[in-house]
Amino acid sequence: DARVTQTPRHKVTEMGQEVTMRCQPILGHNTVFWYRQTMMQGLELLAYFRNRAPLDDSGMPKDRFSAEMPDATLATLKIQPSEPRDSAVYFCASGYRGLTDTQYFGPGTRLTVL
Amino acid sequence: AQKVTQAQTEISVVEKEDVTLDCVYETRDTTYYLFWYKQPPSGELVFLIRRNSFDEQNEISGRYSWNFQKSTSSFNFTITASQVVDSAVYFCALSGYNTDKLIFGTGTRLQVFP
């Protein structure tokens, strides 16, 4: 049963600290997405990659957020420096464009910035 | 512009009742996909169904059924004989055939009481 995995599942940090969230997409999927979920904004797309190349990061605050795919099995989302307003659940999703066109979500990372 | 509206913010039912979750969408694309996702209290987003715009057949999967009506731009989801385990937030989502972005509705929180 292939699944998207995310680490850590929970993260509590203090304002100003760097936060790194990791995602392992489903093997064989060529597209990876990062979303943020808050009560106020709902689910927002932050960025996504196809075949490890960034396609769109327009939803991401550029000054503090960065997303990368060092290899096909790992996607990272970094926040530096973190702020209390970054507190949210961050989801990674993967899919295979052109085949299933369905996004499968990981369990999320719940981030709390104090 | 694409938009998904889930007008029902919260629904409460008693176990074994049938419940329908409404989803209305807007798109200028002639070909598109519609999705339903479930978010149980544990927080993960679980894919339930994808429907292509050119396939208007209704679908049934166990106690779940989906009614897609292009004429009214609706993609409603019915749970028959609801169970406590169905308690969750349900999201309807839309993507264009040639786009990767998922547009989510605001979700409907379903509470099933024993």
Side-chain angles (χ1 to χ4, degrees), chain B residues 60-101:
Chain B
I60 299 174
S61 176
R63 296 183 297 107
Y64 294 173
S65 62
W66 290 269
N67 183 350
F68 175 34
Q69 293 202 341
K70 239 175 168 176
S71 59
T72 56
S73 297
S74 65
F75 186 43
N76 296 338
F77 174 27
T78 297
I79 302 174
T80 303
S82 60
Q83 299 176 0
V84 172
V85 293
D86 297 326
S87 297
V89 180
Y90 291 86
F91 291 94
C92 180
L94 163 73
S95 74
Y97 187 73
N98 291 317
T99 66
D100 296 292
K101 295 185 179 182

Side-chain angles (χ1 to χ4, degrees), chain B residues 3-49:
Chain B
K3 185 179 178 182
V4 175
T5 301
Q6 295 181 256
Q8 303 152 308
T9 306
E10 189 163 337
I11 300 175
S12 294
V13 299
V14 177
E15 222 173 5
K16 295 184 182 159
E17 282 187 37
D18 298 347
V19 58
T20 295
L21 310 181
D22 298 332
C23 173
V24 174
Y25 63 91
E26 296 174 29
T27 182
R28 290 182 180 166
D29 292 340
T30 53
T31 306
Y32 48 90
Y33 295 118
L34 294 162
F35 303 81
W36 277 95
Y37 286 86
K38 173 182 180 180
Q39 188 171 39
S42 52
E44 72 270 30
L45 274 162
V46 179
F47 164 73
L48 294 178
I49 189 171

